[in-house]
Amino acid sequence: MKFNKEELDIIRLECTHYENDRAASIEALKIIQKRQGWVSDDAIKLVSQVLHISESDVEGIATFYNQIFRQPVGKYIVRYCDSNVCYINGCEQIQQTLESSLGIKIGNTTQDNKFTLLPTCCMGLCDKSPVLMIDKKIYSCIVPSDIMQILRSY
């Protein structure tokens, strides 16, 4: 993997907005993820070289943030909230229905690479729980019977 000139220019511009290159690494990772859909080991190495920080620092940053994917993901990221409030309001049934509807377990991607299923600690919508998010669209107060119709819309 190599950065093209445009990507390098964007990463270098981002560096000017931060006190140090380590702080800019998250933006560099997001640029790569937008391009290839996830952040590979080669991408970690390239960010390290471009920003002059250690690979282990870049890896630590990449694995800390749950919006940075370290393995290929589906076209749509399906997140369900598993916080305490959503748990009380039935997120276990939502999880089970998602797993059976998609034919995958948490953390996996469907065979057609369409959906990846991930839990999320909190979406900040406790008053509307249980909550499901597909990419940036939020579905609130969902019940298991809503899930097939939601998935079909994708």
Side-chain angles (χ1 to χ4, degrees), residues 1 3 16 18 55 75-76 86 92 108 114 119 124 135 139:
M1 174 186 182
F3 291 121
T16 65
Y18 295 91
E55 285 182 44
K75 180 177 180 181
Y76 301 106
C86 283
E92 280 187 311
N108 292 331
K114 193 169 184 179
D135 287 341
Y139 300 89

Side-chain angles (χ1 to χ4, degrees), residues 35-97:
R35 176 181 170 219
Q36 87 178 34
W38 63 291
V39 177
S40 66
D41 291 342
D42 287 343
I44 295 288
K45 186 179 283 190
L46 278 169
V47 169
S48 168
Q49 292 168 358
V50 170
L51 298 181
H52 308 290
I53 57 179
S54 73
E55 285 182 44
S56 63
D57 278 349
V58 178
E59 176 71 25
I61 291 163
T63 56
F64 178 78
Y65 293 98
N66 68 358
Q67 297 292 322
I68 302 293
F69 304 118
R70 290 292 284 124
Q71 61 186 18
V73 293
K75 180 177 180 181
Y76 301 106
I77 307 299
V78 179
R79 298 177 191 271
Y80 67 93
C81 183
D82 65 355
S83 70
N84 290 338
V85 174
C86 283
Y87 182 83
I88 290 168
N89 288 319
C91 81
E92 280 187 311
Q93 291 80 21
I94 300 303
Q95 173 195 333
Q96 290 167 359
T97 304

Side-chain angles (χ1 to χ4, degrees), residues 1-16 24 27-28 31-32 35 43 45-52:
M1 174 186 182
K2 289 190 175 192
F3 291 121
N4 64 35
K5 182 180 176 350
E6 180 184 347
E7 291 165 330
L8 282 171
D9 289 345
I10 291 169
I11 290 170
R12 287 185 181 121
L13 177 64
E14 283 302 321
C15 289
T16 65
E27 291 304 317
I31 290 165
I32 290 167
R35 176 181 170 219
K45 186 179 283 190
L46 278 169
V47 169
S48 168
Q49 292 168 358
V50 170
L51 298 181
H52 308 290

